[in-house]
Amino acid sequence: MERVIVFVLIVSCEIVWVIFGWLLYVYFYFKSKKFNDIKKSIRENTKSCNELNEHIEELKNTYVEFARIDYGQADYIDRSRYNFKRP
């Protein structure tokens, strides 16, 4: 019985050390320069994409006054030997 208690205590201590080590790793990773560089890069790319999307929306509104012509439907005839499928 005493051996079981000692075994349980040893395993418990090992689990505590593993959790403590993991928490230290996570703490230092999120404080690292590498992580902050990645975070900064993502922030800059997100800002750039949002600005591009705003510009695209402005362009869509710029050409509202032009008349659009509907030319109907087209049929594709494929005479190649590869027999491509088109939508």
Side-chain angles (χ1 to χ4, degrees), residues 49-64:
C49 287
N50 287 337
E51 289 172 353
L52 180 61
N53 286 336
E54 288 175 11
H55 180 68
I56 290 171
E57 289 301 319
E58 289 174 6
L59 288 176
K60 286 180 183 177
N61 294 331
T62 303
Y63 297 104
V64 170

mmCIF file of all heavy atoms in Angstrom, residues 49-64:
data_model
loop_
_atom_site.group_PDB
_atom_site.id
_atom_site.type_symbol
_atom_site.label_atom_id
_atom_site.label_comp_id
_atom_site.label_asym_id
_atom_site.label_seq_id
_atom_site.Cartn_x
_atom_site.Cartn_y
_atom_site.Cartn_z
ATOM 1 N N CYS A 49 -5.087 44.494 -46.551
ATOM 2 C CA CYS A 49 -6.223 43.841 -47.221
ATOM 3 C C CYS A 49 -7.500 44.639 -47.037
ATOM 4 O O CYS A 49 -8.304 44.766 -47.971
ATOM 5 C CB CYS A 49 -6.406 42.422 -46.694
ATOM 6 S SG CYS A 49 -5.138 41.283 -47.266
ATOM 7 N N ASN A 50 -7.711 45.172 -45.848
ATOM 8 C CA ASN A 50 -8.907 45.979 -45.605
ATOM 9 C C ASN A 50 -8.899 47.246 -46.459
ATOM 10 O O ASN A 50 -9.937 47.639 -46.999
ATOM 11 C CB ASN A 50 -9.026 46.331 -44.122
ATOM 12 C CG ASN A 50 -9.441 45.142 -43.288
ATOM 13 O OD1 ASN A 50 -10.029 44.191 -43.782
ATOM 14 N ND2 ASN A 50 -9.115 45.184 -42.013
ATOM 15 N N GLU A 51 -7.739 47.875 -46.583
ATOM 16 C CA GLU A 51 -7.641 49.060 -47.438
ATOM 17 C C GLU A 51 -7.915 48.706 -48.894
ATOM 18 O O GLU A 51 -8.597 49.457 -49.602
ATOM 19 C CB GLU A 51 -6.262 49.695 -47.295
ATOM 20 C CG GLU A 51 -6.043 50.367 -45.962
ATOM 21 C CD GLU A 51 -4.604 50.829 -45.771
ATOM 22 O OE1 GLU A 51 -3.741 50.515 -46.626
ATOM 23 O OE2 GLU A 51 -4.352 51.503 -44.758
ATOM 24 N N LEU A 52 -7.411 47.567 -49.352
ATOM 25 C CA LEU A 52 -7.661 47.127 -50.723
ATOM 26 C C LEU A 52 -9.150 46.853 -50.942
ATOM 27 O O LEU A 52 -9.716 47.245 -51.962
ATOM 28 C CB LEU A 52 -6.838 45.880 -51.037
ATOM 29 C CG LEU A 52 -7.004 45.296 -52.435
ATOM 30 C CD1 LEU A 52 -6.588 46.312 -53.497
ATOM 31 C CD2 LEU A 52 -6.200 44.027 -52.567
ATOM 32 N N ASN A 53 -9.795 46.209 -49.976
ATOM 33 C CA ASN A 53 -11.231 45.947 -50.088
ATOM 34 C C ASN A 53 -12.032 47.240 -50.143
ATOM 35 O O ASN A 53 -12.996 47.348 -50.912
ATOM 36 C CB ASN A 53 -11.715 45.078 -48.932
ATOM 37 C CG ASN A 53 -11.292 43.642 -49.083
ATOM 38 O OD1 ASN A 53 -11.038 43.178 -50.186
ATOM 39 N ND2 ASN A 53 -11.196 42.942 -47.966
ATOM 40 N N GLU A 54 -11.649 48.223 -49.335
ATOM 41 C CA GLU A 54 -12.332 49.521 -49.381
ATOM 42 C C GLU A 54 -12.154 50.164 -50.749
ATOM 43 O O GLU A 54 -13.101 50.738 -51.308
ATOM 44 C CB GLU A 54 -11.794 50.436 -48.286
ATOM 45 C CG GLU A 54 -12.225 50.052 -46.898
ATOM 46 C CD GLU A 54 -11.559 50.922 -45.835
ATOM 47 O OE1 GLU A 54 -10.929 51.937 -46.192
ATOM 48 O OE2 GLU A 54 -11.678 50.567 -44.652
ATOM 49 N N HIS A 55 -10.961 50.082 -51.306
ATOM 50 C CA HIS A 55 -10.702 50.657 -52.628
ATOM 51 C C HIS A 55 -11.542 49.950 -53.698
ATOM 52 O O HIS A 55 -12.107 50.602 -54.586
ATOM 53 C CB HIS A 55 -9.215 50.547 -52.953
ATOM 54 C CG HIS A 55 -8.849 51.100 -54.285
ATOM 55 N ND1 HIS A 55 -8.913 52.446 -54.578
ATOM 56 C CD2 HIS A 55 -8.437 50.487 -55.422
ATOM 57 C CE1 HIS A 55 -8.549 52.639 -55.832
ATOM 58 N NE2 HIS A 55 -8.249 51.461 -56.372
ATOM 59 N N ILE A 56 -11.643 48.639 -53.614
ATOM 60 C CA ILE A 56 -12.452 47.889 -54.581
ATOM 61 C C ILE A 56 -13.921 48.302 -54.483
ATOM 62 O O ILE A 56 -14.588 48.493 -55.512
ATOM 63 C CB ILE A 56 -12.284 46.370 -54.356
ATOM 64 C CG1 ILE A 56 -10.876 45.939 -54.765
ATOM 65 C CG2 ILE A 56 -13.332 45.582 -55.128
ATOM 66 C CD1 ILE A 56 -10.520 44.526 -54.382
ATOM 67 N N GLU A 57 -14.426 48.469 -53.273
ATOM 68 C CA GLU A 57 -15.816 48.903 -53.106
ATOM 69 C C GLU A 57 -16.026 50.302 -53.678
ATOM 70 O O GLU A 57 -17.055 50.583 -54.283
ATOM 71 C CB GLU A 57 -16.215 48.863 -51.626
ATOM 72 C CG GLU A 57 -16.352 47.471 -51.074
ATOM 73 C CD GLU A 57 -17.382 46.632 -51.813
ATOM 74 O OE1 GLU A 57 -18.468 47.158 -52.156
ATOM 75 O OE2 GLU A 57 -17.098 45.451 -52.067
ATOM 76 N N GLU A 58 -15.034 51.191 -53.504
ATOM 77 C CA GLU A 58 -15.128 52.528 -54.096
ATOM 78 C C GLU A 58 -15.157 52.441 -55.621
ATOM 79 O O GLU A 58 -15.899 53.177 -56.278
ATOM 80 C CB GLU A 58 -13.963 53.392 -53.637
ATOM 81 C CG GLU A 58 -14.044 53.805 -52.194
ATOM 82 C CD GLU A 58 -12.792 54.551 -51.744
ATOM 83 O OE1 GLU A 58 -11.913 54.844 -52.594
ATOM 84 O OE2 GLU A 58 -12.690 54.817 -50.538
ATOM 85 N N LEU A 59 -14.353 51.557 -56.191
ATOM 86 C CA LEU A 59 -14.349 51.396 -57.646
ATOM 87 C C LEU A 59 -15.682 50.861 -58.152
ATOM 88 O O LEU A 59 -16.163 51.278 -59.209
ATOM 89 C CB LEU A 59 -13.223 50.453 -58.077
ATOM 90 C CG LEU A 59 -11.812 51.014 -57.977
ATOM 91 C CD1 LEU A 59 -10.810 49.939 -58.352
ATOM 92 C CD2 LEU A 59 -11.647 52.233 -58.858
ATOM 93 N N LYS A 60 -16.292 49.966 -57.398
ATOM 94 C CA LYS A 60 -17.602 49.447 -57.799
ATOM 95 C C LYS A 60 -18.631 50.563 -57.863
ATOM 96 O O LYS A 60 -19.469 50.593 -58.766
ATOM 97 C CB LYS A 60 -18.081 48.386 -56.806
ATOM 98 C CG LYS A 60 -17.372 47.069 -56.910
ATOM 99 C CD LYS A 60 -17.962 46.110 -55.868
ATOM 100 C CE LYS A 60 -17.255 44.798 -55.847
ATOM 101 N NZ LYS A 60 -17.796 43.909 -54.786
ATOM 102 N N ASN A 61 -18.573 51.488 -56.936
ATOM 103 C CA ASN A 61 -19.533 52.599 -56.912
ATOM 104 C C ASN A 61 -19.210 53.656 -57.947
ATOM 105 O O ASN A 61 -20.067 54.444 -58.322
ATOM 106 C CB ASN A 61 -19.562 53.230 -55.520
ATOM 107 C CG ASN A 61 -20.117 52.287 -54.482
ATOM 108 O OD1 ASN A 61 -20.939 51.439 -54.794
ATOM 109 N ND2 ASN A 61 -19.664 52.434 -53.254
ATOM 110 N N THR A 62 -17.994 53.706 -58.444
ATOM 111 C CA THR A 62 -17.584 54.718 -59.418
ATOM 112 C C THR A 62 -18.258 54.490 -60.767
ATOM 113 O O THR A 62 -18.632 55.441 -61.447
ATOM 114 C CB THR A 62 -16.055 54.679 -59.602
ATOM 115 O OG1 THR A 62 -15.450 54.879 -58.331
ATOM 116 C CG2 THR A 62 -15.602 55.749 -60.541
ATOM 117 N N TYR A 63 -18.442 53.255 -61.169
ATOM 118 C CA TYR A 63 -18.932 52.958 -62.506
ATOM 119 C C TYR A 63 -20.419 52.634 -62.535
ATOM 120 O O TYR A 63 -20.889 51.913 -63.389
ATOM 121 C CB TYR A 63 -18.137 51.783 -63.087
ATOM 122 C CG TYR A 63 -16.679 52.127 -63.251
ATOM 123 C CD1 TYR A 63 -15.724 51.639 -62.377
ATOM 124 C CD2 TYR A 63 -16.275 52.967 -64.280
ATOM 125 C CE1 TYR A 63 -14.393 51.972 -62.521
ATOM 126 C CE2 TYR A 63 -14.946 53.297 -64.428
ATOM 127 C CZ TYR A 63 -14.007 52.800 -63.551
ATOM 128 O OH TYR A 63 -12.693 53.135 -63.700
ATOM 129 N N VAL A 64 -21.187 53.192 -61.648
ATOM 130 C CA VAL A 64 -22.618 52.919 -61.600
ATOM 131 C C VAL A 64 -23.344 53.550 -62.780
ATOM 132 O O VAL A 64 -24.307 53.006 -63.298
ATOM 133 C CB VAL A 64 -23.203 53.434 -60.260
ATOM 134 C CG1 VAL A 64 -24.716 53.396 -60.271
ATOM 135 C CG2 VAL A 64 -22.632 52.626 -59.118
#
